[in-house]
Amino acid sequence: MKEETLTKDAIASRHPRSPSALLALLHDLQTANAGNCLTPDDLALAASHVGLPLSAVRDAATFYSMFSLRPRGRHIVRLCESPNCHLAGAWSALAELRRVLGVDIGETTPDGLFTLELTSCLGACGVAPVMMVDDEVVGNLTPARVRETLARYRGER
Ligand code: FES
């Protein structure tokens, strides 16, 4: 069953009532939202479900870069800015991302399809420079590979 067809309570019920389930629960709640973000109701539900104070849940949601409290695009493009990727040419990939998407870091394309973000090491340094589009790791980035990947997510290929 797709996430968006489940109620938030049904999503929560698939996770243990334990603080250790917090990050997975937040991930699933965020994925279920059209804006690819966590709402205040999501944070309250997560806090109640795993038995943590709301402030602790909000801290987790703001600490980890994969979560957002602001609406984002349907696809999240996250370029690694850590040293290995930087040295391997991440900034030319970033220039191409900015050019093709027409947005800057932290912004969403006007059609709501992509949000561009930076992130720390994605654990794929062997294929630096690296970006993630949603859950897909895309390595050995070149401007051409950036264009091809974005075109695929736009359904152009
Ligand atoms: S430094 Fe970019 S993936 Fe590790």
Side-chain angles (χ1 to χ4, degrees):
M1 185 179 290
K2 290 194 67 166
E3 292 293 322
E4 51 269 30
T5 63
L6 293 174
T7 66
K8 296 294 179 66
D9 286 335
I11 291 170
S13 73
R14 299 186 307 181
H15 295 271
R17 288 187 169 276
S18 162
S20 65
L22 176 63
L23 298 184
L25 174 56
L26 290 177
H27 177 271
D28 286 355
L29 291 170
Q30 178 171 270
T31 302
N33 290 331
N36 223 337
C37 67
L38 290 162
T39 67
D41 285 350
D42 293 334
L43 300 183
L45 172 62
S48 165
H49 187 80
V50 304
L52 285 172
L54 181 57
S55 59
V57 172
R58 188 177 294 113
D59 286 350
T62 54
F63 177 79
Y64 291 101
S65 65
M66 70 265 210
F67 299 127
S68 177
L69 303 183
R70 293 181 303 133
R72 297 183 294 177
R74 188 165 137 214
H75 301 293
I76 310 300
V77 179
R78 299 161 66 217
L79 179 71
C80 175
E81 63 172 340
S82 290
N84 283 349
C85 284
H86 180 80
L87 293 172
W91 298 111
S92 67
L94 178 60
E96 190 66 358
L97 284 164
R98 282 177 162 141
R99 188 190 71 75
V100 173
L101 296 175
V103 297
D104 211 334
I105 298 161
E107 295 179 345
T108 299
T109 54
D111 61 5
L113 201 52
F114 296 101
T115 296
L116 177 59
E117 297 181 348
L118 295 179
T119 185
S120 53
C121 181
L122 293 165
C125 314
V127 290
V130 178
M131 69 177 179
M132 283 190 79
V133 183
D134 301 334
D135 294 328
E136 180 191 8
V137 174
V138 183
N140 298 313
L141 282 179
T142 60
R145 193 153 162 76
V146 165
R147 289 192 299 275
E148 290 162 11
T149 303
L150 295 178
R152 181 160 47 82
Y153 276 85
R154 281 183 168 135
E156 294 173 355
R157 291 181 176 221

